[in-house]
Amino acid sequence: MDYVKISRALLPLLGGKENIASAAHCATRLRLVLADDEKADTTAIGRIEGVKGCFRNAGQLQVIFGTGVVNKVYAAFIAEAGISESSKSEAADIAARKLNPFQRIARLLSNIFVPIIPAIVASGLLMGLLGMVKTYGWVNPENALYIMLDMCSSAAFIILPILIGFTAAREFGGNPFLGATLGGILTHPALTNAWGVAAGFHTMNFFGIEVAMIGYQGTVFPVLLAVWFMSMLEKQLRRVIPDALDLILTPFLTVIISGFIALLIIGPAGRMLGDGISFILSTLIAHAGWLAGLVFGGLYSVIVITGVHHSFHAIEAGLLGNPSIGVNFLLPIWAMANVAQGGACLAVWFKTRDAKIKAISLPSAFSALLGITEAAIFGINLRFMKPFIAGLVGGALGGAWVVSVHVYMTAVGLTGLPGMAIVQAGSLLNYVIGIVIAFTTAFVISYLLKYKTDSE
């Protein structure tokens, strides 16, 4: 490819150099923030050589080029546009100004939880391994290997408030290390472990207020609310405390005041909020059963278009950390929706005679099987619409299946075929059956429906 030629073709279709506020790229997409979105001709951009799709999401115009190509296009593009390199976070900050309140909340939660996902995935994989070891009796629970695996698998959830405290404070504009300290206060050994409450706990009288000495290990909302309060308090203290005393007094007062407020008020309220959300979802799954899976699986891809789906990480982490639940029953449903979009996209590859659409649809379908659906949804399925609808039907049926047979996962972040690694022991076969149902249904419907499949 001639990357300079591609860049020169892009510029006028984006409204010119002066219309580009920021440019960045991820693994597959050029991510642009434009001063005026209306000046961009997305249809014409989609016809440029090498472009596999073009869509707007989260305040950004995203142009899909694919792995290994996008970084070369990006280098040529910023040279031609005469702009400085921008990190993804800088581009996202500029784009955030264009978001509605719901999208801003989703972006905030995404920025807090995405950095933590590797730790939760690692713990989830280990939990799955531990479940197999326990189910099949490969190792005695008293064995040192079993005990060490248990320690490794539960560590991320035990210190989850500390991890969230760090990333949340960074997003709220507070000191990340003070946020982590506040998370440490909520999981202090002086508090009864959240998973050991059944064995009993004690209370402490604080000036007439009975405080339950229960830890917040594995919880999400208590530390989120507490760190938000801490960050606001820290900013106010920095305004009134003299610079000469700032280093000493600001962190001291921030930790003391936030710690007391978190233990006395915010912590219990946050626990109630998290437990309430978990209770509502678990009740829906328990009583609505396959119908809940049908609705959630059918609507998930629609939610993906808005970008709000990133906020689900917080809810899923709360489910995993809740001692009475301890599993992620939402992620298998999302996995079915993602796989279904891949099946619908693959049908387009069989239907079309357009060489460019074939070149886009096959790798996009494969990516969806790995849990990455943007290329399939925005590059193919939404372009022709009917494949997208076929994907919704496939996701609904797959979601109904995994809920009806109680397929659970032990982590967040992995869907599609990689999701097999975190499926709870004993549910792997049903998970694979769900993938077949979702993928096949979407493929067949997408293939049988009549629609034009040319790049024009």
Side-chain angles (χ1 to χ4, degrees), residues 187-198:
T187 56
H188 196 279
L191 303 172
T192 301
N193 189 298
W195 292 289
V197 173

Side-chain angles (χ1 to χ4, degrees), residues 70-118:
V70 67
N71 54 328
K72 297 174 183 176
V73 172
Y74 176 69
F77 180 80
I78 61 172
E80 286 297 314
I83 57 177
S84 61
E85 293 193 25
S86 299
S87 68
K88 284 189 290 183
S89 60
E90 289 171 340
D93 288 339
I94 298 173
R97 300 168 194 164
K98 303 180 180 181
L99 303 181
N100 61 47
F102 292 105
Q103 289 175 319
R104 289 185 181 182
I105 293 172
R107 173 183 172 274
L108 177 72
L109 292 175
S110 175
N111 290 344
I112 291 172
F113 284 93
V114 167
I116 302 171
I117 284 179

Side-chain angles (χ1 to χ4, degrees), residues 350-391:
F350 280 98
K351 285 174 69 75
T352 188
R353 294 181 180 180
D354 189 303
K356 184 172 183 179
I357 297 299
K358 277 187 175 292
I360 299 172
S361 56
L362 188 61
S364 298
F366 181 71
S367 294
L369 286 175
L370 300 179
I372 303 168
T373 59
E374 285 90 348
I377 290 177
F378 295 104
I380 296 293
N381 295 350
L382 275 178
R383 178 186 293 190
F384 306 121
M385 188 49 72
K386 289 183 179 179
F388 181 72
I389 296 172

Side-chain angles (χ1 to χ4, degrees), residues 168-330:
R170 189 169 56 186
E171 282 301 309
F172 292 137
N175 185 311
F177 296 98
L178 292 183
T181 300
L182 187 56
I185 292 171
L186 293 174
T187 56
H188 196 279
L191 303 172
T192 301
N193 189 298
W195 292 289
V197 173
F201 63 92
H202 65 281
T203 61
M204 180 175 60
N205 188 287
F206 181 80
F207 295 103
I209 302 174
E210 289 296 321
V211 182
M213 299 296 285
I214 302 174
Y216 294 87
Q217 294 85 352
T219 60
V220 171
F221 292 101
V223 70
L224 273 179
L225 296 173
V227 171
W228 174 81
F229 172 81
M230 183 212 78
S231 300
M232 298 302 105
L233 174 65
E234 182 185 359
K235 291 175 184 177
Q236 294 301 319
L237 289 174
R238 290 197 186 281
R239 292 178 181 177
V240 298
I241 293 177
D243 292 342
L245 299 175
D246 179 70
L247 182 63
I248 299 173
L249 288 182
T250 299
F252 171 75
L253 292 174
T254 299
V255 170
I256 291 294
I257 297 173
S258 299
F260 273 70
I261 295 296
L263 290 172
L264 295 173
I265 302 172
I266 297 178
R271 192 197 300 275
M272 289 177 62
L273 174 62
D275 289 347
I277 293 173
S278 298
F279 174 76
I280 291 171
L281 288 172
S282 57
T283 301
L284 279 173
I285 294 294
H287 293 283
W290 64 267
L291 184 59
L294 188 80
V295 174
F296 290 169
L299 291 179
Y300 182 70
S301 293
V302 177
I303 297 172
V304 167
I305 299 173
T306 68
V308 177
H309 64 295
H310 291 300
S311 62
F312 294 159
H313 294 318
I315 297 173
E316 293 172 33
L319 294 175
L320 289 168
N322 191 317
S324 62
I325 298 175
V327 293
N328 187 345
F329 51 73
L330 293 176

Side-chain angles (χ1 to χ4, degrees), residues 10 14 20-25 29-34 37 45 57 59-63 74 77 83 91 95 98:
L10 269 174
L14 293 169
I20 301 171
S22 176
H25 74 90
R29 286 160 284 153
L30 187 64
R31 304 164 76 103
L32 305 168
V33 179
L34 306 180
D37 290 334
I45 290 172
N57 190 30
Q60 298 178 342
L61 181 71
Q62 304 190 21
V63 187
Y74 176 69
F77 180 80
I83 57 177
K98 303 180 180 181

